Amino acid sequence: MEAIVLAGGMGTRLRSAVPDLPKCMAPVAGRPFLAWLLDDLEAAGFNHIILSLGYRHEAIEDWVAARKNRARISCVVEAEPLGTGGGVRLALQKAEAHDVFVLNGDTWFGMDYAAMARFHQQQGLPATLALKPLRDFDRYGEVCCTAEGRITAFREKQPCAQGLINGGVYLLQRDALAGCPERFSLERDFFEPLAARQQLAGFRSEGYFIDIGIPSDYARAQRDFASGAFHPYPYDALLLDRDGVINVLRPADYVKNIGEFVFCEGALEALRLVNPLFRRIVIVTNQRGVGRDLMTEADLEEVHAWMLDRIREAGGRIDKIYICTDNDNSSPRRKPNIGMALEVRADYPDVDFDRSWFVGDSVSDLEFARRAGIPAFRVEGKQDLLAFARQTLSSVQS
């Protein structure tokens, strides 16, 4: 699949909240908003993403060049503003697929892209718009759509108790804009005439929606993206053992300080890959070294703070760490007993263990997963966490 991201906006209305950056580069939960969009597209299976750039395009191009991209990224730059339609028309020159998605670089709409593509093909029309049902809104114009999925009109912004809005995700036939001028509005000059002829399809989605273009919604995005509330993840939770999975196991010993902590080969890359796939990612680890007075809880916290920093820098995340320092094997919290799994469920009651995974390296870990009712993957080689990540990503994309 191919997608164009319209990433040339100036972000004038965000000047009070963000530095002088292109709007798509506004930091959200510690990362540029564009990073979240690209992660989502890559996780959904897009292998070519075209960025339509304008204002301060060098900042975006430099950032993309330094990013570890899974998809092929192409850039087109408007020498002068061409309007939304002109920007898409220019970017389509680099497209190769018959149908190409188009996304606004300042909008997030949780989308089943494959389902939208199937709907688009069934309709057989030049373009399809993703539509979001909303209640009590006045910031967006209403989109009128038949029950069969044909858009008939766009209404001006006005108070609306319930209706559909343009979600900022489009699917176009690659040659749909061939006859259009160099500079034009995609919405006014292309979509509206199509709607008048009922030649424009509307795909409804209940996915999370936000437009970061104004300070209040930008602030809401900070909270939502930090908590993971924004994302329709394909899996609920990933529970990870630590020693032997994330870091190299020290036989008959414990990682007692930062100097003794060595990431397993491929572990950081694996955590980056699974980041967009799981709603929650947690560590559940027995740390008997504290109970045996070989290290203190403060030592363990320092190790974990350092570890989490490295994981975040690599593009991964850990939402919480559950630790059992008890010596007694009968402790309900010590694996293979499932006390820590019950704590995960109590902290995240929306997590379904049937839609989750546990990754460990020992027989005890597998028994823990069996008792808790969580599908398990056992690490036995140098890059097994990376193998798990690639396998999981492939299953989502297939």
Side-chain angles (χ1 to χ4, degrees):
M1 291 193 293
E2 282 187 308
I4 294 168
V5 178
L6 301 177
M10 296 177 63
T12 305
R13 290 176 297 175
L14 290 181
R15 284 290 177 265
S16 62
V18 302
D20 184 20
L21 291 170
K23 188 160 41 172
C24 68
M25 295 298 287
V28 173
R31 309 173 70 210
F33 187 69
L34 182 59
W36 296 103
L37 288 177
L38 293 184
D39 280 356
D40 184 60
L41 291 173
E42 288 175 329
F46 286 83
N47 51 29
H48 185 204
I49 300 169
I50 305 163
L51 303 181
S52 177
L53 309 179
Y55 175 70
R56 292 201 60 185
H57 61 89
E58 299 90 350
I60 300 175
E61 290 170 318
D62 291 345
W63 176 81
V64 169
R67 180 179 180 266
K68 294 181 179 179
N69 302 301
R70 284 179 272 161
R72 176 163 56 98
I73 308 292
S74 301
C75 297
V76 296
V77 179
E78 300 176 28
E80 57 183 24
L82 300 176
T84 51
V88 173
R89 186 175 181 272
L90 179 65
L92 282 170
Q93 296 176 13
K94 286 187 174 288
E96 300 162 5
H98 181 270
D99 299 306
V100 183
F101 279 90
V102 179
L103 290 80
N104 288 322
D106 59 354
T107 301
W108 179 281
F109 192 6
M111 182 62 52
D112 185 336
Y113 296 102
M116 183 172 173
R118 290 191 296 270
F119 176 82
H120 173 74
Q121 291 164 4
Q122 291 165 0
Q123 295 290 315
L125 298 177
T128 299
L129 273 63
L131 305 178
K132 169 67 177 179
L134 281 186
R135 294 179 179 273
D136 301 320
F137 62 92
D138 57 12
R139 181 181 163 193
Y140 308 99
E142 184 185 4
V143 181
C144 302
C145 188
T146 69
E148 295 75 28
R150 297 289 180 100
I151 294 174
T152 58
F154 296 90
R155 293 178 178 167
E156 295 295 325
K157 297 177 183 179
Q158 59 183 328
C160 183
Q162 182 175 349
L164 299 168
I165 68 166
N166 178 353
V169 177
Y170 319 129
L171 187 52
L172 309 179
Q173 294 176 358
R174 189 180 62 202
D175 60 356
L177 306 182
C180 295
E182 182 180 11
R183 183 183 293 105
F184 68 101
S185 165
L186 187 67
E187 297 81 6
R188 185 182 62 254
D189 300 326
F190 181 67
F191 288 149
E192 289 186 10
L194 282 181
R197 303 193 301 269
Q198 293 197 22
Q199 290 294 298
L200 184 62
F203 176 79
R204 305 181 191 211
S205 174
E206 295 286 351
Y208 174 92
F209 174 84
I210 195 165
D211 176 350
I212 66 166
I214 62 173
S216 60
D217 277 356
Y218 177 66
R220 179 164 68 92
Q222 301 287 356
R223 299 188 296 270
D224 289 354
F225 278 60
S227 68
F230 72 99
H231 203 305
Y233 291 94
Y235 296 99
D236 272 5
L238 175 60
L239 286 70
L240 299 164
D241 182 37
R242 198 199 77 178
D243 300 308
V245 175
I246 295 175
N247 61 277
V248 176
L249 187 68
R250 292 173 62 85
D253 199 359
Y254 304 91
V255 175
K256 302 180 290 297
N257 54 64
I258 293 170
E260 296 177 347
F261 191 101
V262 178
F263 280 101
C264 292
E265 186 176 349
L268 289 173
E269 172 68 4
L271 292 169
R272 183 181 74 84
L273 291 178
V274 299
N275 187 2
L277 305 183
F278 290 86
R279 183 186 306 172
R280 302 294 179 188
I281 302 177
V282 302
I283 292 173
V284 287
T285 176
N286 292 338
Q287 292 295 323
R288 188 179 279 179
V290 175
R292 292 181 173 178
D293 294 327
L294 299 174
M295 58 191 298
T296 66
E297 289 191 8
D299 294 332
L300 187 59
E301 289 173 2
E302 183 179 10
V303 167
H304 282 162
W306 181 88
M307 175 191 72
L308 292 175
D309 284 343
R310 304 291 84 73
I311 292 172
R312 280 191 292 266
E313 290 169 358
R317 70 180 154 90
I318 299 294
D319 297 310
K320 193 166 183 177
I321 302 176
Y322 297 84
I323 303 162
C324 178
T325 61
D326 299 339
N327 277 324
D328 188 352
N329 288 338
S330 66
S331 167
R333 299 185 68 255
R334 182 171 177 78
K335 292 183 294 184
N337 299 318
I338 63 170
M340 287 190 284
L342 297 178
E343 291 175 10
V344 173
R345 180 168 281 163
D347 288 342
Y348 306 113
D350 57 340
V351 162
D352 181 354
F353 279 167
D354 288 336
R355 298 185 65 252
S356 303
W357 278 94
F358 176 80
V359 180
D361 70 322
S362 68
V363 173
S364 175
D365 285 333
L366 295 182
E367 178 62 15
F368 165 82
R370 186 192 68 78
R371 294 181 185 182
I374 310 172
F377 180 95
R378 184 174 183 180
V379 167
E380 295 180 298
K382 286 185 176 180
Q383 291 190 336
D384 269 8
L385 184 57
L386 185 56
F388 167 81
R390 288 172 173 164
Q391 171 184 305
T392 307
L393 179 62
S394 177
S395 69
V396 168
Q397 294 175 345
S398 62

